[in-house]
Each structure stands twice: as structure tokens, then as C-alpha cells.
């Protein structure tokens, strides 16, 4: 249950982007888009958010999300969509928008949860720390620099 909100938000992002791209521009049915969104959400949440994101940087996780979305939309589109569309371009555009929206939305929610001390995304790295890892590194390096500067003077 601790991942329910993150899964719902990820599903809504995938569904909205795929409805705009595949539904709006290519006329794909809602049933196909819903199926692709459900499968893509599950796969990208398990691989991207539970395996890659806790172990690597946000940038690597965003690149992995892009490739997961690109390959996922392409393969699932090939298997599910009967209409003749250019899956390469539609998959690329969908992956770009999914990645942008996910990075933007995850950063907003992560910052809100830090400020209000709420943990909406327990799978994000540094969720048990008061500050993000990068800020902790900056603070630590500044303390070391001050100590070094004091020794020089």
C-alpha cells in the first residue's frame, strides 16, 4: 500500500500522455491506450522506480525511464495496435513527453514531501534523510572548505 499513490500518479501520467499522442494524433482506441498504460506503468515502476532510482542518480533513472517508455510503447503498440501507424515516431514522442512529465512531477512532489516532512514516495532515494543527497554533499564540502581555509590563514 505504501506505493499506491506513486503508482496511481505514474499511471495517470502515462495515460494522459498516451491519450494525447496516440489517441489525439493517431486515433488509437481507448482500450489499447489503457492496456499500454497499465502494462507500461507496472514495468516502468518496478524497473525504473524500485530498482534503478534507489541505486543510481535521478538523471540515470530519467534516462532509464525514457528507454523503458520508448521500448515499452513500441513493443506493446506492435502487439496491441491493429491500425497502421508509424510506431517509431509515436513511441519516441510519447517517451519524451512521459519522461519530461515524470521528472517534473516527481521533483515537485519530492520537494513538497521534504518541506512538509511527508513521504509520498517511499521508494525515492534519500527519503529517510532530511536533505537530498546532493545538498548533503554540498554542505559537507563547504564545511571541509571552511576548515581548510581556516588552516591556511
Amino acid at each position: 500500500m505504501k506505493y499506491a499513490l506513486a503508482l496511481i500518479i505514474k499511471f495517470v501520467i502515462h495515460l494522459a500522455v498516451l491519450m494525447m499522442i496516440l489517441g489525439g494524433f493517431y486515433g488509437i482506441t481507448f482500450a489499447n491506450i489503457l492496456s499500454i498504460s497499465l502494462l507500461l506503468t507496472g514495468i516502468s515502476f518496478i524497473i525504473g522506480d524500485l530498482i534503478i532510482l534507489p541505486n543510481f542518480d535521478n538523471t540515470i533513472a530519467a534516462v532509464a525511464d525514457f528507454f523503458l517508455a520508448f521500448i515499452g510503447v513500441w513493443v506493446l503498440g506492435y502487439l496491441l495496435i491493429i491500425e497502421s501507424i508509424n510506431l517509431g515516431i509515436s513511441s519516441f514522442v510519447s517517451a519524451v513527453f512521459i519522461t519530461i512529465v515524470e521528472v517534473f512531477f516527481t521533483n515537485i512532489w519530492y520537494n513538497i514531501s521534504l518541506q512538509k516532512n511527508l513521504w509520498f514516495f517511499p521508494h525515492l532515494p534519500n527519503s529517510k534523510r532530511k536533505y537530498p543527497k546532493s545538498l548533503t554533499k554540498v554542505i559537507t564540502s563547504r564545511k571541509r572548505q571552511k576548515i581548510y581555509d581556516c588552516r591556511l590563514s
Side-chain angles (χ1 to χ4, degrees), residues 79-112:
L79 296 173
L80 297 174
I81 297 174
I82 298 170
E83 293 89 4
S84 175
I85 66 169
N86 190 347
L87 278 173
I89 293 173
S90 61
S91 299
F92 180 77
V93 172
S94 298
V96 167
F97 280 106
I98 286 172
T99 303
I100 290 170
V101 173
E102 274 192 22
V103 167
F104 180 72
F105 197 78
T106 303
N107 285 337
I108 287 175
W109 273 99
Y110 188 59
N111 289 334
I112 288 172

Side-chain angles (χ1 to χ4, degrees), residues 29-42:
T29 62
F30 180 73
N32 286 337
I33 294 172
L34 185 65
S35 301
I36 293 171
S37 297
L38 281 170
L39 293 171
L40 189 62
T41 300

Side-chain angles (χ1 to χ4, degrees), residues 1-146:
M1 280 308 286
K2 65 181 181 178
Y3 300 126
L5 184 60
L7 268 170
I8 290 169
I9 291 171
K10 192 172 198 77
F11 172 72
V12 169
I13 289 170
H14 287 169
L15 185 65
V17 169
L18 292 178
M19 278 298 295
M20 286 188 305
I21 306 295
L22 297 179
F25 293 115
Y26 294 101
I28 305 301
T29 62
F30 180 73
N32 286 337
I33 294 172
L34 185 65
S35 301
I36 293 171
S37 297
L38 281 170
L39 293 171
L40 189 62
T41 300
I43 293 167
S44 68
F45 185 76
I46 291 170
I47 294 173
D49 291 349
L50 295 181
I51 296 173
I52 295 174
L53 188 57
N55 296 318
F56 297 100
D57 189 8
N58 287 340
T59 307
I60 294 172
V63 171
D65 272 339
F66 170 79
F67 284 110
L68 284 170
F70 178 66
I71 293 169
V73 172
W74 198 339
V75 170
L76 293 171
Y78 179 76
L79 296 173
L80 297 174
I81 297 174
I82 298 170
E83 293 89 4
S84 175
I85 66 169
N86 190 347
L87 278 173
I89 293 173
S90 61
S91 299
F92 180 77
V93 172
S94 298
V96 167
F97 280 106
I98 286 172
T99 303
I100 290 170
V101 173
E102 274 192 22
V103 167
F104 180 72
F105 197 78
T106 303
N107 285 337
I108 287 175
W109 273 99
Y110 188 59
N111 289 334
I112 288 172
S113 66
L114 281 176
Q115 291 171 0
K116 294 186 177 183
N117 210 6
L118 302 171
W119 304 111
F120 292 110
F121 297 106
H123 62 284
L124 286 176
N126 312 317
S127 62
K128 302 221 180 335
R129 297 181 186 172
K130 187 174 179 182
Y131 300 106
K133 185 187 286 184
S134 59
L135 185 58
T136 306
K137 286 181 181 177
V138 169
I139 291 171
T140 307
S141 66
R142 285 184 184 165
K143 285 181 182 177
R144 288 181 187 153
Q145 185 65 35
K146 285 181 182 178

